[in-house]
């Protein structure tokens, strides 16, 4: 088995190039990112909590992906562009009891439509 090795000077531009080709093939000309550090507190059963974060350049209709630092059992995290430059991150508790996720960092990635 041959291992491929790309020096960082080559692999980083290649990775950026590949990412741009991939995104443009799906019609996503740009991506925007932000980090949100937040503690949603205790979320009641079958309920949700929200928090907004500024992501400059985003517009209504853009696709949003939210990735927490660590997964939280019984909680689904998602995001929506609710106004220009504003993403609302939502934590949904789908369980039959209250869940209190710890404070953590959420990475918010927005794909321009």
């Amino acid at each position: 088995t041959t291992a491929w090795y790309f020096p960082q000077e080559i692999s980083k531009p290649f990775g950026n190039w590949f990412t741009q080709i991939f995104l443009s093939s799906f019609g996503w000309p740009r991506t925007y990112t932000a980090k949100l550090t937040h503690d949603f507190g205790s979320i009641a059963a079958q309920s949700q909590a929200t928090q907004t974060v500024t992501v400059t350049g985003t517009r209504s209709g853009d696709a949003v992906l939210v990735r927490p630092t660590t997964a939280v059992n019984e909680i689904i995290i998602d995001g929506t562009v609710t106004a220009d430059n504003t993403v609302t991150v939502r934590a949904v508790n789908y369980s039959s009891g209250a869940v209190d996720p710890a404070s953590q960092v959420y990475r918010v990635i927005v794909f321009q439509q």
Side-chain angles (χ1 to χ4, degrees), residues 11 16 20-21 24 28 43 48-49 52 56 59 71-72 80 88 97 104:
S11 64
N16 291 340
Q20 291 307 311
I21 294 297
S24 65
W28 298 323
I43 305 170
Q48 65 184 7
T52 60
T56 304
R59 301 182 309 241
V72 179
T80 305
T88 299
Q104 62 179 309

Side-chain angles (χ1 to χ4, degrees), residues 43-49 91-95:
I43 305 170
Q46 304 296 310
S47 188
Q48 65 184 7
V92 181
N93 177 359
Y94 62 87
S95 73

Side-chain angles (χ1 to χ4, degrees), residues 23-92:
L23 293 175
S24 65
S25 67
F26 287 101
W28 298 323
R30 286 193 70 136
T31 58
Y32 304 97
T33 63
K35 288 184 181 178
L36 168 67
T37 302
H38 187 67
D39 183 351
F40 283 102
S42 183
I43 305 170
Q46 304 296 310
S47 188
Q48 65 184 7
T50 61
Q51 178 63 39
T52 60
V53 60
T54 299
V55 186
T56 304
T58 60
R59 301 182 309 241
S60 181
D62 289 348
V64 179
L65 175 66
V66 180
R67 299 295 304 161
T69 305
T70 59
V72 179
N73 290 335
E74 302 173 333
I75 296 287
I76 296 173
I77 305 290
D78 68 3
T80 305
V81 178
T82 51
D84 287 352
N85 305 315
T86 303
V87 172
T88 299
V89 176
R90 181 174 65 152
V92 181

